[in-house]
Amino acid sequence: MEKIRMGRCTLDVASRKLYDANGDEIAMTSMEFDLLVAFAKNPNRVLSRDRLLELAHTHGEEVFDRSVDVRIARIRKKIEVNAERPEVLKTVRGVGYMFVPESAA
């Protein structure tokens, strides 16, 4: 799981970086990176906000379940072709979010 295609971007787990289609680095926070890794490790599985907080929580940082929604929205702006109609990080109403890899879309 070194490099994972996520929408129009590539996540490089080893270097902790996200790259656009041109190979340019996209700035992201460590929590955004940790969320992307959590999704990459659980493709096509619905992850609740609580589960995402468990998987991506930076210790010592106070986080709330709604902060996941804010971070997902920011990530979508970076990786989705159209953040208003997400195809990569889908919302499963009342449950959570799911990473849909390109091959499964």
Side-chain angles (χ1 to χ4, degrees), residues 77-103:
K77 288 178 183 172
K78 295 173 185 183
I79 69 170
E80 297 281 357
V81 172
N82 180 353
E84 299 300 314
R85 293 179 175 258
E87 295 294 324
V88 180
L89 292 183
K90 295 196 175 223
T91 300
V92 180
R93 286 214 188 276
V95 184
Y97 298 97
M98 178 172 61
F99 166 51
V100 180
E102 212 170 78
S103 60

Side-chain angles (χ1 to χ4, degrees), residues 11-49:
L11 181 68
D12 187 330
V13 177
S15 70
R16 293 186 61 89
K17 294 184 180 181
L18 182 68
Y19 297 98
D20 67 14
N22 296 322
D24 296 322
E25 184 179 348
I26 297 172
M28 67 178 166
T29 66
S30 67
M31 179 65 137
E32 289 170 346
F33 174 82
D34 292 342
L35 282 169
L36 286 174
V37 169
F39 282 118
K41 289 182 177 179
N42 296 281
N44 298 308
R45 288 181 51 197
V46 179
L47 300 173
S48 68
R49 285 185 192 95

Side-chain angles (χ1 to χ4, degrees), residues 42-70:
N42 296 281
N44 298 308
R45 288 181 51 197
V46 179
L47 300 173
S48 68
R49 285 185 192 95
D50 288 340
R51 183 68 180 134
L52 285 166
L53 285 173
E54 288 173 21
L55 294 171
H57 180 243
T58 305
H59 299 291
E61 185 179 312
E62 183 91 18
V63 291
F64 304 96
D65 67 344
R66 287 295 176 189
S67 71
V68 169
D69 298 336
V70 172

